[in-house]
PDB file of all heavy atoms in Angstrom:
ATOM      1  N   GLN A 207       6.763  17.516  24.330  1.00  0.00           N
ATOM      2  CA  GLN A 207       7.006  16.739  25.564  1.00  0.00           C
ATOM      3  C   GLN A 207       8.485  16.826  25.986  1.00  0.00           C
ATOM      4  O   GLN A 207       8.676  16.978  27.132  1.00  0.00           O
ATOM      5  CB  GLN A 207       6.724  15.194  25.240  1.00  0.00           C
ATOM      6  CG  GLN A 207       5.215  14.963  25.082  1.00  0.00           C
ATOM      7  CD  GLN A 207       4.887  13.523  24.633  1.00  0.00           C
ATOM      8  OE1 GLN A 207       5.809  12.836  24.198  1.00  0.00           O
ATOM      9  NE2 GLN A 207       3.735  12.951  25.025  1.00  0.00           N
ATOM     10  N   LYS A 208       9.381  16.989  24.891  1.00  0.00           N
ATOM     11  CA  LYS A 208      10.737  17.174  25.211  1.00  0.00           C
ATOM     12  C   LYS A 208      10.955  18.482  25.951  1.00  0.00           C
ATOM     13  O   LYS A 208      11.690  18.684  26.922  1.00  0.00           O
ATOM     14  CB  LYS A 208      11.482  17.044  23.974  1.00  0.00           C
ATOM     15  CG  LYS A 208      13.032  17.072  24.155  1.00  0.00           C
ATOM     16  CD  LYS A 208      13.760  16.858  22.954  1.00  0.00           C
ATOM     17  CE  LYS A 208      15.265  16.805  23.141  1.00  0.00           C
ATOM     18  NZ  LYS A 208      16.047  16.591  21.890  1.00  0.00           N
ATOM     19  N   GLU A 209      10.156  19.598  25.416  1.00  0.00           N
ATOM     20  CA  GLU A 209      10.327  20.836  26.036  1.00  0.00           C
ATOM     21  C   GLU A 209       9.864  20.874  27.450  1.00  0.00           C
ATOM     22  O   GLU A 209      10.374  21.443  28.335  1.00  0.00           O
ATOM     23  CB  GLU A 209       9.669  21.823  25.142  1.00  0.00           C
ATOM     24  CG  GLU A 209       9.713  23.310  25.546  1.00  0.00           C
ATOM     25  CD  GLU A 209       9.018  24.300  24.714  1.00  0.00           C
ATOM     26  OE1 GLU A 209       8.463  23.858  23.675  1.00  0.00           O
ATOM     27  OE2 GLU A 209       9.059  25.458  25.017  1.00  0.00           O
ATOM     28  N   ILE A 210       8.716  20.182  27.571  1.00  0.00           N
ATOM     29  CA  ILE A 210       8.046  20.064  28.956  1.00  0.00           C
ATOM     30  C   ILE A 210       9.059  19.482  29.903  1.00  0.00           C
ATOM     31  O   ILE A 210       9.254  19.904  31.050  1.00  0.00           O
ATOM     32  CB  ILE A 210       6.828  19.325  28.883  1.00  0.00           C
ATOM     33  CG1 ILE A 210       5.756  20.214  28.206  1.00  0.00           C
ATOM     34  CG2 ILE A 210       6.309  18.975  30.361  1.00  0.00           C
ATOM     35  CD1 ILE A 210       4.435  19.454  27.922  1.00  0.00           C
ATOM     36  N   GLU A 211       9.624  18.333  29.494  1.00  0.00           N
ATOM     37  CA  GLU A 211      10.699  17.614  30.421  1.00  0.00           C
ATOM     38  C   GLU A 211      11.848  18.529  30.710  1.00  0.00           C
ATOM     39  O   GLU A 211      12.345  18.508  31.842  1.00  0.00           O
ATOM     40  CB  GLU A 211      11.161  16.290  29.703  1.00  0.00           C
ATOM     41  CG  GLU A 211      10.048  15.269  29.568  1.00  0.00           C
ATOM     42  CD  GLU A 211      10.544  14.104  28.676  1.00  0.00           C
ATOM     43  OE1 GLU A 211      11.642  14.176  28.165  1.00  0.00           O
ATOM     44  OE2 GLU A 211       9.779  13.265  28.510  1.00  0.00           O
ATOM     45  N   SER A 212      12.249  19.344  29.662  1.00  0.00           N
ATOM     46  CA  SER A 212      13.351  20.270  29.997  1.00  0.00           C
ATOM     47  C   SER A 212      12.976  21.258  30.954  1.00  0.00           C
ATOM     48  O   SER A 212      13.725  21.665  31.903  1.00  0.00           O
ATOM     49  CB  SER A 212      13.788  20.900  28.589  1.00  0.00           C
ATOM     50  OG  SER A 212      14.730  21.869  28.762  1.00  0.00           O
ATOM     51  N   LEU A 213      11.741  21.882  30.810  1.00  0.00           N
ATOM     52  CA  LEU A 213      11.286  22.851  31.815  1.00  0.00           C
ATOM     53  C   LEU A 213      11.136  22.243  33.104  1.00  0.00           C
ATOM     54  O   LEU A 213      11.398  22.903  34.124  1.00  0.00           O
ATOM     55  CB  LEU A 213       9.836  23.428  31.288  1.00  0.00           C
ATOM     56  CG  LEU A 213       9.975  24.272  30.007  1.00  0.00           C
ATOM     57  CD1 LEU A 213       8.567  24.550  29.475  1.00  0.00           C
ATOM     58  CD2 LEU A 213      10.692  25.588  30.351  1.00  0.00           C
ATOM     59  N   ARG A 214      10.529  21.040  33.259  1.00  0.00           N
ATOM     60  CA  ARG A 214      10.463  20.380  34.546  1.00  0.00           C
ATOM     61  C   ARG A 214      11.823  20.273  35.154  1.00  0.00           C
ATOM     62  O   ARG A 214      12.070  20.398  36.517  1.00  0.00           O
ATOM     63  CB  ARG A 214       9.823  18.974  34.393  1.00  0.00           C
ATOM     64  CG  ARG A 214       8.288  19.095  34.176  1.00  0.00           C
ATOM     65  CD  ARG A 214       7.849  17.728  33.895  1.00  0.00           C
ATOM     66  NE  ARG A 214       6.353  17.783  33.675  1.00  0.00           N
ATOM     67  CZ  ARG A 214       5.578  16.748  33.366  1.00  0.00           C
ATOM     68  NH1 ARG A 214       6.177  15.550  32.942  1.00  0.00           N
ATOM     69  NH2 ARG A 214       4.244  16.819  33.166  1.00  0.00           N
ATOM     70  N   ALA A 215      12.796  19.833  34.399  1.00  0.00           N
ATOM     71  CA  ALA A 215      14.199  19.675  34.906  1.00  0.00           C
ATOM     72  C   ALA A 215      14.728  21.089  35.511  1.00  0.00           C
ATOM     73  O   ALA A 215      15.417  21.132  36.528  1.00  0.00           O
ATOM     74  CB  ALA A 215      15.147  19.210  33.885  1.00  0.00           C
ATOM     75  N   GLN A 216      14.459  22.079  34.708  1.00  0.00           N
ATOM     76  CA  GLN A 216      14.855  23.400  35.149  1.00  0.00           C
ATOM     77  C   GLN A 216      14.175  23.823  36.479  1.00  0.00           C
ATOM     78  O   GLN A 216      14.750  24.361  37.355  1.00  0.00           O
ATOM     79  CB  GLN A 216      14.513  24.473  33.983  1.00  0.00           C
ATOM     80  CG  GLN A 216      15.397  24.305  32.799  1.00  0.00           C
ATOM     81  CD  GLN A 216      15.020  25.304  31.685  1.00  0.00           C
ATOM     82  OE1 GLN A 216      14.591  26.453  32.051  1.00  0.00           O
ATOM     83  NE2 GLN A 216      15.106  24.907  30.446  1.00  0.00           N
ATOM     84  N   VAL A 217      12.834  23.481  36.510  1.00  0.00           N
ATOM     85  CA  VAL A 217      12.107  23.901  37.734  1.00  0.00           C
ATOM     86  C   VAL A 217      12.632  23.134  38.975  1.00  0.00           C
ATOM     87  O   VAL A 217      12.849  23.681  39.998  1.00  0.00           O
ATOM     88  CB  VAL A 217      10.542  23.558  37.618  1.00  0.00           C
ATOM     89  CG1 VAL A 217       9.835  23.563  38.930  1.00  0.00           C
ATOM     90  CG2 VAL A 217       9.917  24.484  36.562  1.00  0.00           C
ATOM     91  N   ALA A 218      12.965  21.894  38.702  1.00  0.00           N
ATOM     92  CA  ALA A 218      13.450  20.986  39.808  1.00  0.00           C
ATOM     93  C   ALA A 218      14.885  21.487  40.276  1.00  0.00           C
ATOM     94  O   ALA A 218      15.128  21.554  41.425  1.00  0.00           O
ATOM     95  CB  ALA A 218      13.659  19.573  39.330  1.00  0.00           C
ATOM     96  N   SER A 219      15.647  22.003  39.327  1.00  0.00           N
ATOM     97  CA  SER A 219      16.967  22.530  39.611  1.00  0.00           C
ATOM     98  C   SER A 219      16.843  23.849  40.461  1.00  0.00           C
ATOM     99  O   SER A 219      17.499  24.043  41.441  1.00  0.00           O
ATOM    100  CB  SER A 219      17.683  22.758  38.314  1.00  0.00           C
ATOM    101  OG  SER A 219      19.078  23.355  38.642  1.00  0.00           O
ATOM    102  N   LEU A 220      15.930  24.632  39.974  1.00  0.00           N
ATOM    103  CA  LEU A 220      15.684  25.935  40.693  1.00  0.00           C
ATOM    104  C   LEU A 220      15.178  25.586  42.123  1.00  0.00           C
ATOM    105  O   LEU A 220      15.498  26.311  43.127  1.00  0.00           O
ATOM    106  CB  LEU A 220      14.682  26.801  40.017  1.00  0.00           C
ATOM    107  CG  LEU A 220      15.137  27.434  38.630  1.00  0.00           C
ATOM    108  CD1 LEU A 220      14.026  28.056  37.923  1.00  0.00           C
ATOM    109  CD2 LEU A 220      16.275  28.478  38.944  1.00  0.00           C
ATOM    110  N   GLN A 221      14.199  24.668  42.211  1.00  0.00           N
ATOM    111  CA  GLN A 221      13.755  24.324  43.498  1.00  0.00           C
ATOM    112  C   GLN A 221      14.932  23.834  44.500  1.00  0.00           C
ATOM    113  O   GLN A 221      14.789  24.126  45.760  1.00  0.00           O
ATOM    114  CB  GLN A 221      12.653  23.226  43.435  1.00  0.00           C
ATOM    115  CG  GLN A 221      11.334  23.797  42.810  1.00  0.00           C
ATOM    116  CD  GLN A 221      10.335  22.649  42.619  1.00  0.00           C
ATOM    117  OE1 GLN A 221      10.625  21.505  42.455  1.00  0.00           O
ATOM    118  NE2 GLN A 221       9.082  23.099  42.514  1.00  0.00           N
ATOM    119  N   ARG A 222      15.740  23.057  43.997  1.00  0.00           N
ATOM    120  CA  ARG A 222      16.873  22.562  44.752  1.00  0.00           C
ATOM    121  C   ARG A 222      17.794  23.753  45.197  1.00  0.00           C
ATOM    122  O   ARG A 222      18.238  23.753  46.364  1.00  0.00           O
ATOM    123  CB  ARG A 222      17.664  21.520  44.022  1.00  0.00           C
ATOM    124  CG  ARG A 222      17.063  20.225  43.789  1.00  0.00           C
ATOM    125  CD  ARG A 222      18.009  19.148  43.351  1.00  0.00           C
ATOM    126  NE  ARG A 222      18.545  19.408  42.016  1.00  0.00           N
ATOM    127  CZ  ARG A 222      17.959  19.008  40.895  1.00  0.00           C
ATOM    128  NH1 ARG A 222      16.829  18.234  40.938  1.00  0.00           N
ATOM    129  NH2 ARG A 222      18.419  19.337  39.681  1.00  0.00           N
ATOM    130  N   GLU A 223      18.006  24.648  44.199  1.00  0.00           N
ATOM    131  CA  GLU A 223      18.844  25.881  44.630  1.00  0.00           C
ATOM    132  C   GLU A 223      18.165  26.714  45.653  1.00  0.00           C
ATOM    133  O   GLU A 223      18.858  27.188  46.610  1.00  0.00           O
ATOM    134  CB  GLU A 223      19.103  26.617  43.351  1.00  0.00           C
ATOM    135  CG  GLU A 223      19.959  26.041  42.312  1.00  0.00           C
ATOM    136  CD  GLU A 223      20.185  26.853  41.096  1.00  0.00           C
ATOM    137  OE1 GLU A 223      19.685  27.999  41.070  1.00  0.00           O
ATOM    138  OE2 GLU A 223      20.785  26.404  40.118  1.00  0.00           O
ATOM    139  N   LEU A 224      16.838  26.832  45.569  1.00  0.00           N
ATOM    140  CA  LEU A 224      16.050  27.642  46.554  1.00  0.00           C
ATOM    141  C   LEU A 224      16.148  26.941  47.896  1.00  0.00           C
ATOM    142  O   LEU A 224      16.357  27.613  48.924  1.00  0.00           O
ATOM    143  CB  LEU A 224      14.589  27.763  45.998  1.00  0.00           C
ATOM    144  CG  LEU A 224      13.636  28.578  46.948  1.00  0.00           C
ATOM    145  CD1 LEU A 224      14.089  29.998  47.065  1.00  0.00           C
ATOM    146  CD2 LEU A 224      12.237  28.561  46.443  1.00  0.00           C
ATOM    147  N   ALA A 225      15.995  25.664  47.888  1.00  0.00           N
ATOM    148  CA  ALA A 225      16.000  24.862  49.142  1.00  0.00           C
ATOM    149  C   ALA A 225      17.424  25.013  49.839  1.00  0.00           C
ATOM    150  O   ALA A 225      17.421  25.283  51.090  1.00  0.00           O
ATOM    151  CB  ALA A 225      15.678  23.374  48.911  1.00  0.00           C
ATOM    152  N   MET A 226      18.446  24.916  49.043  1.00  0.00           N
ATOM    153  CA  MET A 226      19.786  25.115  49.584  1.00  0.00           C
ATOM    154  C   MET A 226      20.011  26.474  50.125  1.00  0.00           C
ATOM    155  O   MET A 226      20.674  26.658  51.189  1.00  0.00           O
ATOM    156  CB  MET A 226      20.879  24.762  48.521  1.00  0.00           C
ATOM    157  CG  MET A 226      20.908  23.307  48.060  1.00  0.00           C
ATOM    158  SD  MET A 226      22.067  23.044  46.855  1.00  0.00           S
ATOM    159  CE  MET A 226      23.582  23.533  47.608  1.00  0.00           C
ATOM    160  N   ALA A 227      19.464  27.498  49.403  1.00  0.00           N
ATOM    161  CA  ALA A 227      19.662  28.804  49.867  1.00  0.00           C
ATOM    162  C   ALA A 227      18.889  29.132  51.164  1.00  0.00           C
ATOM    163  O   ALA A 227      19.510  29.784  52.018  1.00  0.00           O
ATOM    164  CB  ALA A 227      19.054  29.855  48.758  1.00  0.00           C
ATOM    165  N   LYS A 228      17.653  28.584  51.327  1.00  0.00           N
ATOM    166  CA  LYS A 228      16.892  28.617  52.572  1.00  0.00           C
ATOM    167  C   LYS A 228      17.687  27.995  53.789  1.00  0.00           C
ATOM    168  O   LYS A 228      17.734  28.496  54.869  1.00  0.00           O
ATOM    169  CB  LYS A 228      15.589  28.004  52.409  1.00  0.00           C
ATOM    170  CG  LYS A 228      14.503  28.854  51.551  1.00  0.00           C
ATOM    171  CD  LYS A 228      13.168  28.139  51.440  1.00  0.00           C
ATOM    172  CE  LYS A 228      12.260  28.932  50.721  1.00  0.00           C
ATOM    173  NZ  LYS A 228      10.874  28.393  50.547  1.00  0.00           N
ATOM    174  N   LYS A 229      18.225  26.829  53.441  1.00  0.00           N
ATOM    175  CA  LYS A 229      19.029  26.055  54.454  1.00  0.00           C
ATOM    176  C   LYS A 229      20.195  26.881  54.957  1.00  0.00           C
ATOM    177  O   LYS A 229      20.456  26.985  56.109  1.00  0.00           O
ATOM    178  CB  LYS A 229      19.363  24.725  53.888  1.00  0.00           C
ATOM    179  CG  LYS A 229      20.166  23.846  54.930  1.00  0.00           C
ATOM    180  CD  LYS A 229      20.509  22.426  54.305  1.00  0.00           C
ATOM    181  CE  LYS A 229      21.190  21.576  55.463  1.00  0.00           C
ATOM    182  NZ  LYS A 229      21.627  20.327  54.791  1.00  0.00           N
TER     183      LYS A 229
END
Side-chain angles (χ1 to χ4, degrees):
Q207 289 177 336
K208 188 174 181 180
E209 184 177 0
I210 290 171
E211 291 173 1
S212 176
L213 290 172
R214 284 175 176 171
Q216 292 178 33
V217 169
S219 177
L220 289 172
Q221 287 176 336
R222 287 193 297 271
E223 291 179 7
L224 181 61
M226 290 180 62
K228 286 183 178 179
K229 182 178 180 181

